Amino acid sequence: MRLINRHFSKRDRLIAGGAPIVLLLVIYLIMAAARHAANPSDKILPLPGGMFTAMAGLLTTPDPLSGHLVFWADTLASLQRLGLGLGIATLFALVLGLLIGAIPPVRATLSPLVTGIAVIPPIALLPILFIALGLGETSKVVLIAIGVAPVMIRDIAAHVGSLPREQIIKAETLGANSWQIIARVALPQAMPRLLQAIRLALGPAWVFLISAEAVASDIGLGYRIFLVRRYLSMDVIIPYVAWIALLAIVMDVALNALSRRAFPWAHGDAR
Amino acid sequence: MNALLSLRNVWVEYGDKVVLEKVNLEVAEGAFLSIIGPSGAGKSSLLRLILGQEAPTRGQVLLDGQPLRPECGPDRGVVFQRYSVFPHMTVLGNVTFGLECPAAPLAARLFGGARRKAEAEATQMLEAVGLGDSLHLYPAQMSGGMQQRLAIAQALIKRPRILLLDEPFGALDPGIRADMHGLITRLWRDYSLTVVMVTHDIKEAFTLGTRVLALDKRRHDPHAPHRYGATAVYDLPLRGPPVPAPEPETQPTPVAATN
């Protein structure tokens, strides 16, 4: 049988998918154990026990200065920035994407601007944002929004613009005006695409979040990682990175599930 | 008899490419006009012209004696070969949409009693095309034939002055195509429609039509083939307008969707 026709059963897929992850973990443990055998106070490759002790403090002991449980306060602050930034970007993507995709004069007016903003590396804007908006929450949220919105707007606009011409003509012959075509034909068909666009934007959004927190912040997952780096605290950095990965995976899975549940017609599994 | 649709000395040109030249056409009310011709002979251009999707470069298109605006409107219904139905709406939603548009210009949907009334009317139309059992399916869950039935119901709910069919049965297999021929003939009679159908299938054109129009180029310049456009080379009246169906039947009998 050709390789391209070889499909795994669900159980085999789990085994195949898990194997590289388990392998990497085992390699890490062997290397960490070897380093600790040579130097029991090694900080570069901490053992699980060390990470556990370090994290237990952050998870359960309030910070003497602020009174926060550090880990949860970091998580909350970062998720709030990420949520606000992505939320604003999503709103812009939906409204501007629909208008640019569906209305030629709006496309002619705004499309070059959106393209222009999209090609600016967002991190290059970070100094401008810090100067203009201060070092507080606003500049971080705006960085995420500016970073991901243009790509999302262009994606939604392209999707709406590529709806079959026949559908739009059909709607016109049914007596629909421009607003009705946007609201009833373009918007519902843009929604599943929007959820996919958010999934794809999550990666860059995390990059901008961690960057902004690393440069100027006093709380947040990225801030903590860059703070404890000074003390080579790999026992904190590694669990934080793993936690970020877990959060990102959960968001991705949740968005996909939401899309399948809310728009079954778009996934071909309505059959 | 007054013509429902008239094309007067119509030319369609794209740049220096002439697609249609000097087309004169009068379509009577109740006619079933089939348009045939080789690929590239401007069949679809002619249809787009009548649909209002395009304006003629020269000449006039008149509907009920009024010049057409170059925009599609609810007085002309259309069924394309594909993509005529909305994939995100159920069968019922697809047909109800046509009733919601004029009634709810801002909300774009109806609620409560008005919605139930519109849905009842849509259901009746869907039963007439044989989709009475599939009201809550999405188009992706239906066969090609059922999707075309839906597209026809969707167009007819607006009671268009003229129904335009752009190779509507081209993607269907022969058995289902025969069913659809029966359906469209029956609807044409029952609703006293005026139909303009573009087709590749000559047999279909002659079976369904009361009049067959063949488009082709009269002249051909081998050095500049694009400089001469197509026009009506044959215009064959086959039979008169349909005999009115026996009146007592107040409502068209539903046919079962077997496909």
Side-chain angles (χ1 to χ4, degrees), chain A residues 59-125:
Chain A
L59 276 161
T60 54
T61 320
D63 180 47
L65 213 62
S66 60
H68 295 311
L69 296 173
V70 173
F71 175 79
W72 299 114
D74 284 342
T75 304
L76 196 68
S78 286
L79 285 184
Q80 193 185 343
R81 290 164 187 155
L82 193 73
L84 276 172
L86 268 179
I88 293 169
T90 304
L91 203 67
F92 270 84
L94 191 60
V95 174
L96 289 181
L98 276 175
L99 293 178
I100 292 174
I103 304 179
V106 178
R107 178 167 37 222
T109 313
L110 291 184
S111 191
L113 176 67
V114 172
T115 310
I117 295 175
V119 297
I120 301 172
I123 302 293
L125 292 177

Side-chain angles (χ1 to χ4, degrees), chain B residues 23-219:
Chain B
V23 177
N24 283 294
L25 183 66
E26 306 268 307
V27 182
E29 183 145 18
F32 195 127
L33 174 69
S34 303
I35 300 175
I36 54 175
S39 298
K43 300 190 296 291
S44 298
S45 290
L46 183 58
L47 201 83
R48 281 201 294 274
L49 215 59
I50 303 174
L51 191 55
Q53 198 181 337
E54 279 174 22
T57 317
R58 266 178 277 167
Q60 262 194 318
V61 184
L62 306 174
L63 185 68
D64 287 322
Q66 299 295 315
L68 270 187
R69 282 189 310 150
E71 196 176 34
C72 313
D75 46 359
R76 284 147 290 159
V78 66
V79 175
F80 293 105
Q81 183 172 358
R82 294 175 63 199
Y83 306 122
S84 294
V85 296
F86 302 114
H88 59 288
M89 297 184 192
T90 61
V91 167
L92 186 60
N94 259 290
V95 179
T96 315
F97 181 51
L99 297 171
E100 289 176 305
C101 284
L106 281 181
R109 48 177 88 233
L110 293 171
F111 302 97
R115 170 164 206 90
R116 277 192 295 280
K117 194 159 155 278
E119 283 183 345
E121 192 182 336
T123 308
Q124 205 179 352
M125 178 54 74
L126 282 164
E127 276 163 3
V129 300
L131 288 179
D133 301 328
S134 318
L135 297 182
H136 301 292
L137 293 182
Y138 284 103
Q141 296 168 285
M142 306 199 302
S143 67
M146 287 167 81
Q147 290 189 24
Q148 289 308 74
R149 284 170 190 268
L150 173 58
I152 293 169
Q154 205 181 12
L156 290 188
I157 197 87
K158 301 296 291 182
R159 313 279 163 188
R161 295 287 287 137
I162 192 160
L163 179 64
L164 303 167
L165 307 173
D166 190 359
E167 305 197 22
F169 316 126
L172 306 179
D173 57 68
I176 289 166
R177 200 180 299 185
D179 290 347
M180 296 298 287
H181 288 170
L183 173 74
I184 198 73
T185 310
R186 191 171 53 70
L187 292 171
W188 170 60
R189 283 222 178 91
D190 292 344
Y191 292 91
S192 331
L193 299 172
T194 309
V195 180
V196 176
M197 176 177 73
V198 164
T199 179
H200 264 121
D201 184 340
I202 294 181
K203 187 160 166 284
E204 179 176 272
F206 281 88
T207 324
L208 295 179
T210 56
R211 178 177 170 193
V212 175
L213 193 75
L215 294 182
D216 205 352
K217 296 185 178 188
R218 278 191 195 281
R219 298 170 293 178

